[in-house]
Amino acid sequence: MSTNPQKLIIAKDIPIMLFAGEFQGTLLQGVAVAVLLMPNGRRYTVSQLVSVNHKDEAEYTALIIGLKKANQLRLKTLVQLGESNPPDFYRNFRD
């Protein structure tokens, strides 16, 4: 169990998109999910069941469905945070 409390991710000025994809290798099925956090506190969630051969495919699908939702919302600026971002990348989003 971790002794470090988790920090909340809050969109202060720019919308943030969190995205992830997972798959069950034996079934070649997975899920792609993206959550858009807006500065006004609103949250949009999109998800999709996918047929994939690799976890990366599910994650790329999550990125794409999130970007499509951002486009529907006519967002011009967006910070994208996915599972494959290197740990140092997140240092910019603490506190």
Side-chain angles (χ1 to χ4, degrees):
M1 179 181 277
S2 175
T3 58
N4 296 333
Q6 292 184 351
K7 304 266 183 178
L8 292 176
I9 297 175
I10 301 171
K12 293 181 181 178
D13 299 322
I14 299 172
I16 297 173
M17 181 177 70
L18 307 170
F19 64 96
E22 290 295 328
F23 88 115
Q24 179 64 40
T26 57
L27 299 176
L28 299 178
Q29 297 176 345
V31 65
V33 177
V35 178
L36 287 95
L37 306 172
M38 308 301 285
N40 65 3
R42 215 141 171 201
R43 179 186 318 186
Y44 298 92
T45 303
V46 290
S47 61
Q48 181 177 326
L49 296 175
V50 293
S51 294
V52 294
N53 293 315
H54 193 273
K55 180 187 175 302
D56 288 345
E57 289 181 80
E59 188 170 358
Y60 294 143
T61 302
L63 173 62
I64 290 167
I65 65 173
L67 291 174
K68 285 180 179 179
K69 183 64 177 179
N71 189 44
Q72 289 174 351
L73 296 170
R74 299 175 193 249
L75 299 179
K76 300 293 182 203
T77 306
L78 180 68
V79 174
Q80 302 163 25
L81 303 175
E83 290 179 291
S84 62
N85 291 112
D88 290 344
F89 179 82
Y90 293 102
R91 216 174 274 164
N92 298 324
F93 297 97
R94 294 185 185 152
D95 297 329

